Structures are given as C-alpha cells and as structure tokens.
Amino acid sequence: MDLNHLFHRHQVSLNAVENAATPEARLSHEGLLAGYAAGIAALQDATGARSPFGRPSL
C-alpha cells in the first residue's frame, strides 16, 4: 500500500470510530485505526517521508 491509501483508510477509520453505534464497533474501528497509523509510520520511516505534522494518532 502507498501512503495515500493508508492516509485515506486512516481517515475512514477515524470517521467510523467517531460514528460507531456500539462500544464493540468503536473498539473494532479503533484497532483498525491503530493499525493504519502504525503502517503509515512504518512506511514513512522506510521511505524517509516524514510528516511535518507528526504521526497520525487515535
């Protein structure tokens, strides 16, 4: 995956966390959100594409 795809999925997951209908759904989406954030950080580190805004977070 490229950074644009990961950033998009991170944003979609962030919206899903904010709009989760149940605590279980929120927890599931938070897990995806954390995974995308980790993937973004790893790809940024691997390619030297560091963001001036810091790492994406929950």
Side-chain angles (χ1 to χ4, degrees):
M1 286 188 239
D2 66 14
L3 277 174
N4 286 329
H5 179 77
L6 289 171
F7 278 124
H8 171 73
R9 295 305 310 159
H10 183 270
Q11 185 63 46
V12 168
S13 292
L14 182 60
N15 290 335
V17 166
E18 293 172 353
N19 296 306
T22 66
E24 295 82 8
R26 178 179 298 273
L27 186 61
S28 176
H29 291 299
E30 285 174 346
L32 289 170
L33 185 65
Y36 289 125
I40 290 167
L43 193 51
Q44 284 178 325
D45 288 343
T47 62
R50 295 184 180 253
S51 170
F53 304 109
R55 301 267 187 240
S57 61
L58 292 178

